[in-house]
């Protein structure tokens, strides 16, 4: 049994190392994307490429149709490019929404295949080949607690109830499957309760956050410090997160503008706000940006 | 004070945005998704161009009330990358495997460390390629791109609790396939 646990932890450790390696790949926005605006459709190069690829596809198919090849991609869901739509939400109750298919691909000799999810959740013991598998029943309970907490927080707007559920989750499943999510929801709950001190402490307690989520934590830390009127500490964090782009960048720019307003430096606040409006004119926080602009007085940069 | 941090800031507008606006706001995100999903940073420019060619054709039929723009763009990116991967696989069969020229975000590694990292990145995509598309996409978003469950759920148009259960299963399948490729892990 000990040997199995050791093996399982080796697989989990190897997986974590591989994911960490994958996260370090330099991606588009790290390199200052976008390079050029989209061109008009068609063009000789595209036609040539398309024709060449078509020929290659035909040749490849003729050459390789009788040879074993890599497993073909499984049937894809019905989402199509021509009619983008959101999949209908699956049923909410567990375990009826759990997938039942077995993994695709072959397994190495001696490796046992994982039982179907529904069966595994109901009564099967964890397979020795699968690391970090929670005991039957605990996964549903972890999901239930976290889902209830997030529902209380975001739908019922009852942060105190959410906090109770999250504490229960923490106590019952220390180091559980969704530790990071529980931690972040705890931060969010304290924040919603108007307690940035406690939110910051909860944030500092988070230890297992993937590196790729660090910008989000940086901006969150900056926002909490700003809410505590500690703008001297908040501004460097917000400034560093401002270049992250996306939601994080948007929050950082607006947070920095708000911080400068708190410090009474309206000129600097306008600089941040101008930068916000250039990048996120119709962003999710544009209403708050407009309100800040009105407080600061003066027109928007485009006026 | 805001009660909850916004997730994937897609503007909640009922108007169809212009192509230029979509590009300005979302091209970096599309580039990130394309790189992560394909695992080939040198193809990012072409993939983003292909995505926005589709966007250009389809934008007028986009209905903001039916799906968020971010979700719509992600679905297009996912489709474009999937087709691209099929073409790449075909080229690999005919001309031999062409390892991707990966660039690393952080510097200061020795050549040996860089080589080991490249091997690991190839391995992670090798394992991901053995998974079904839905598992692959979810692991890419969660483990590589660092999305939260909530963010991934919004992007894929699913409930968070569904995402977490699927994530758990996807991780198990990843482990299975990793063991199939590296059986020594169980020795």
């Amino acid at each position: 049994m000990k040997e199995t646990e050791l093996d399982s932890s080796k697989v989990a450790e190897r997986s974590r190392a591989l994911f960490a390696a994958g996260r370090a790949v330099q991606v588009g926005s790290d390199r200052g994307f976008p390079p050029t605006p989209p061109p008009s459709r068609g063009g000789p190069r595209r036609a040539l490429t398309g024709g060449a690829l078509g020929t290659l596809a035909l040749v490849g198919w003729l050459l390789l149709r009788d040879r074993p090849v890599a497993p073909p991609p499984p049937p894809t869901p019905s989402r199509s490019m021509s009619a983008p739509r959101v999949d209908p939400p699956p049923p909410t109750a567990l375990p009826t929404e759990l997938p039942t298919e077995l993994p695709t691909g072959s397994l190495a000799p001696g490796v046992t295949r994982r039982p179907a999810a529904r069966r595994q959740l109901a009564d099967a013991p964890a397979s020795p080949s699968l690391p970090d598998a929670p005991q039957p029943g605990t996964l549903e309970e972890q999901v239930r607690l976290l889902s209830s907490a997030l529902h209380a927080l975001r739908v019922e707007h009852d942060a105190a109830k959410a906090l109770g559920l999250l504490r229960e989750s923490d106590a019952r499943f220390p180091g559980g499957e969704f530790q990071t999510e529980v931690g972040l929801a705890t931060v969010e709950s304290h924040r919603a309760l108007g307690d940035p001190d406690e939110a910051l402490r909860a944030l500092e307690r988070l230890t297992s956050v993937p590196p790729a989520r660090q910008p989000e934590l940086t901006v969150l830390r900056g926002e909490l410090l700003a809410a505590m009127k500690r703008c001297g500490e908040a501004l460097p964090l917000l400034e560093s997160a401002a270049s992250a782009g996306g939601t994080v960048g948007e929050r950082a720019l607006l947070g920095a503008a708000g911080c400068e307003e708190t410090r009474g430096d309206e000129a600097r606040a306008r600089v941040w706000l101008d930068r916000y409006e250039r990048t996120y004119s119709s962003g999710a926080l544009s209403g708050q940006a407009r309100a800040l602009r009105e407080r600061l007085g003066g027109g928007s940069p485009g006026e | 004070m805001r009660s909850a941090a916004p997730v994937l800031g897609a503007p909640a507008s009922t108007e169809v945005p212009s192509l230029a606006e979509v590009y300005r706001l979302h091209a970096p995100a599309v580039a990130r998704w394309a790189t992560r999903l394909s695992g080939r940073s040198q193809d990012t420019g072409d993939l983003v161009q292909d995505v926005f060619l589709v966007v250009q054709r389809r934008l007028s039929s986009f209905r903001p009330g039916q799906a968020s723009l971010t979700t719509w763009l992600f679905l297009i990116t996912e489709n474009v990358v999937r087709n691209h991967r099929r073409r790449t696989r075909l080229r690999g069969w005919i001309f031999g495997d062409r390892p991707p020229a990966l660039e690393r975000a952080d510097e200061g590694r020795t050549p040996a460390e860089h080589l080991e990292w490249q091997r690991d990145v190839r391995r992670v995509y090798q394992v991901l390629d053995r998974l079904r598309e839905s598992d692959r996409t979810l692991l890419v978003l969660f483990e590589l791109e660092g999305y939260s469950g909530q963010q991934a759920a919004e992007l894929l148009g699913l409930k968070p609790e569904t995402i977490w259960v699927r994530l758990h299963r996807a991780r198990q399948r990843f482990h299975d396939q990793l063991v199939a490729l590296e059986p020594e892990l169980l020795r």
Side-chain angles (χ1 to χ4, degrees):
Chain A
M1 182 63 193
K2 270 198 159 172
E3 194 180 337
T4 303
E5 283 169 8
L6 185 68
D7 293 343
S8 298
S9 74
K10 273 165 65 180
V11 179
E13 195 180 320
R14 176 75 174 133
S15 296
R16 281 193 289 272
L18 290 178
F19 285 133
R23 280 193 293 268
V25 173
Q26 194 170 33
V27 294
S29 61
D30 296 339
R31 291 181 293 166
F33 216 83
T36 54
S40 59
R41 75 172 88 172
R45 189 180 74 85
R46 171 160 288 280
L48 188 63
T49 308
L53 284 174
T55 309
L56 285 177
L58 183 62
V59 170
W61 179 75
L62 287 171
L63 287 174
L64 301 169
R65 59 182 169 170
D66 295 328
R67 288 174 50 188
V69 294
T76 54
S78 59
R79 299 179 310 189
S80 75
M81 224 183 308
S82 57
R85 63 181 175 80
V86 175
D87 281 344
T92 54
L94 287 169
T96 51
E97 65 184 1
L98 297 176
T100 54
E101 308 91 320
L102 287 167
T104 55
S106 59
L107 297 180
V111 179
T112 55
R113 190 180 283 277
R114 186 78 171 166
R118 197 189 304 268
R119 198 166 65 245
Q120 181 266 326
L121 276 176
D123 52 19
S127 160
S129 70
L130 295 164
D132 295 339
Q135 292 303 306
T138 63
L139 177 67
E140 303 100 305
E141 191 55 15
Q142 287 180 59
V143 169
R144 188 193 66 77
L145 278 171
L146 181 55
S147 303
S148 304
L150 289 175
H151 189 269
L153 182 63
R154 293 175 182 166
V155 180
E156 299 170 32
H157 301 290
D158 187 345
K161 179 182 171 187
L163 210 48
L165 289 162
L166 292 166
R167 281 180 178 146
E168 185 187 342
S169 177
D170 243 350
R172 289 177 57 189
F173 307 108
E177 178 92 357
F178 308 114
Q179 197 179 8
T180 304
E181 299 292 342
V182 169
L184 286 171
T186 304
V187 174
E188 204 176 318
S189 299
H190 284 303
R191 195 179 176 192
L193 286 169
D195 189 352
D197 277 296
E198 197 51 52
L200 193 60
R201 273 194 287 276
L203 186 63
E204 304 298 348
R205 283 196 294 271
L206 280 175
T207 52
S208 59
V209 179
R213 293 189 68 178
Q214 286 304 330
E216 183 188 341
L217 296 197
T218 302
V219 78
L220 184 55
R221 190 171 282 117
E223 287 171 336
L224 292 172
L225 288 166
M228 294 158 68
K229 314 280 185 215
R230 288 161 60 182
C231 284
E233 296 165 72
L235 274 168
L237 294 172
L238 295 168
E239 194 166 355
S240 72
S243 57
T247 309
V248 168
E250 183 180 6
R251 287 166 60 188
L253 288 174
L254 192 60
C259 232
E260 294 290 10
E261 184 203 20
T262 305
R263 295 209 309 183
D265 191 342
E266 295 195 352
R268 288 284 305 160
R270 280 196 197 92
V271 170
W272 283 111
L273 204 51
D274 290 349
R275 199 170 148 195
Y276 175 91
E277 286 169 352
R278 278 198 302 273
T279 319
Y280 303 101
S281 59
S282 54
L285 307 176
S286 54
Q288 291 178 41
R290 276 194 297 277
L292 178 56
R293 172 71 69 188
E294 282 167 18
R295 285 202 302 275
L296 292 173
S300 64
E303 289 171 6
Chain B
M1 177 184 290
R2 291 192 299 278
S3 62
V7 180
L8 290 173
S13 165
T14 52
E15 287 179 19
V16 177
S18 68
L19 178 66
E21 191 177 9
V22 174
Y23 186 82
R24 186 171 59 81
L25 286 176
H26 297 281
V30 169
R32 290 185 69 89
W33 296 333
T35 311
R36 293 290 190 206
L37 286 168
S38 69
R40 302 170 66 89
S41 46
Q42 78 272 34
D43 295 345
T44 303
D46 288 346
L47 288 169
V48 173
Q49 178 175 315
D50 286 352
V51 168
F52 279 94
L53 285 169
V54 176
V55 171
Q56 188 179 38
R57 284 201 304 272
R58 304 284 177 200
L59 192 59
S60 60
S61 62
F62 170 68
R63 295 287 171 266
Q66 290 175 4
S68 84
L69 182 61
T70 320
T71 300
W72 186 72
L73 283 171
F74 182 75
L75 295 182
I76 293 175
T77 309
E78 203 184 4
N79 275 314
V80 166
V81 172
R82 189 181 303 143
N83 290 335
H84 176 79
R85 285 174 47 226
R86 285 191 190 121
R87 291 198 299 268
T88 307
R89 196 179 305 149
L90 182 66
R91 277 199 295 267
W93 290 341
I94 296 171
F95 300 117
D97 190 29
R98 184 166 59 99
L102 295 163
E103 294 170 64
R104 194 179 168 122
D106 55 329
E107 301 297 335
R109 305 277 167 180
T110 65
E113 285 170 337
H114 190 78
L115 198 63
E116 189 183 350
W117 167 74
Q118 283 202 322
R119 272 202 299 264
D120 280 353
V121 175
R122 279 187 206 120
R123 175 65 87 198
V124 77
Y125 278 98
Q126 202 178 0
V127 179
L128 287 171
D129 285 346
R130 295 166 71 112
L131 302 179
R132 66 185 70 167
E133 287 293 331
S134 55
D135 286 350
R136 187 184 192 280
T137 300
L138 190 55
L139 288 174
V140 165
L141 286 178
F142 201 90
E143 302 287 2
L144 302 186
E145 187 60 9
Y147 276 36
S148 67
Q150 178 76 21
Q151 287 173 318
E154 286 191 15
L155 198 60
L156 299 171
L158 298 170
K159 293 189 172 188
E161 55 266 42
T162 308
I163 285 284
W164 293 321
V165 173
R166 286 191 185 180
L167 178 67
H168 177 73
R169 302 292 163 218
R171 280 175 177 159
Q172 290 177 336
R173 291 181 189 116
F174 184 92
H175 289 159
D176 276 346
Q177 295 302 329
L178 176 60
V179 168
L181 287 169
E182 298 183 4
E184 67 275 11
L185 287 170
L186 287 185
R187 270 183 221 136

